[in-house]
């Protein structure tokens, strides 16, 4: 799979996720936190659920997602000291096991 092909798949998945409305269930919240969320929602004239969505939207609005190239570079940096087995050896071993 080429890098361009991988990038296309990521783009398609991201667009698909945007089209589908998702649900998020948050469990084990502190009662004080829930009460604060309800008060904040009331101040803004929203339901608690709408306020929760707005908080998430604002928190993630400025959170830039790294590019595929950046993620790949980070992974290479993290694994550069590890012993790497060339893919042709892994493929050969896999064929030999059959």
């Amino acid at each position: 799979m080429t890098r361009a092909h991988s990038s296309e798949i990521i783009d398609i998945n991201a667009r698909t996720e945007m089209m589908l409305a998702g649900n998020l269930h948050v469990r084990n919240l502190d009662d004080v936190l829930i009460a604060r969320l309800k008060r904040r929602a009331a101040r803004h004239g929203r339901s608690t659920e709408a306020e929760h969505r707005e908080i998430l939207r604002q928190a993630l609005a400025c959170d830039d997602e790294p590019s595929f190239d950046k993620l790949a570079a980070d992974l290479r940096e993290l694994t550069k000291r590890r012993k790497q087995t060339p893919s042709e050896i892994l493929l050969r071993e896999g064929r030999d096991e059959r």
Side-chain angles (χ1 to χ4, degrees):
M1 182 181 317
T2 65
R3 188 184 324 189
H5 185 69
S6 297
S7 185
E8 290 170 12
I9 291 172
I10 291 168
D11 290 342
I12 291 168
N13 287 342
R15 277 186 256 127
T16 302
E17 287 175 5
M18 283 185 204
M19 291 186 297
L20 302 173
N23 289 309
L24 177 66
H25 300 279
V26 182
R27 294 183 178 87
N28 302 320
L29 290 175
D30 183 27
D31 290 339
V32 174
L33 185 64
I34 294 169
R36 289 180 62 196
L37 179 62
K38 288 179 179 181
R39 287 194 301 273
R40 179 178 165 146
R43 282 195 313 273
H44 293 131
R46 293 190 270 255
S47 69
T48 306
E49 185 177 339
E51 187 68 19
H52 187 192
R53 279 193 300 270
E54 184 58 25
I55 291 168
L56 286 171
R57 212 178 345 268
Q58 288 176 10
L60 298 173
C62 60
D63 187 22
D64 294 331
E65 293 202 22
S67 69
F68 177 83
D69 291 337
K70 170 77 170 112
L71 291 172
D74 290 347
L75 182 59
R76 281 192 297 276
E77 180 65 27
L78 286 171
T79 60
K80 71 181 180 185
R81 289 186 178 87
R82 291 185 185 172
K83 180 183 175 217
Q84 303 292 321
T85 304
S87 59
E88 61 271 10
I89 292 174
L90 295 173
L91 288 168
R92 193 174 309 117
E93 287 175 355
R95 277 189 235 119
D96 292 345
E97 289 176 2
R98 289 187 215 157

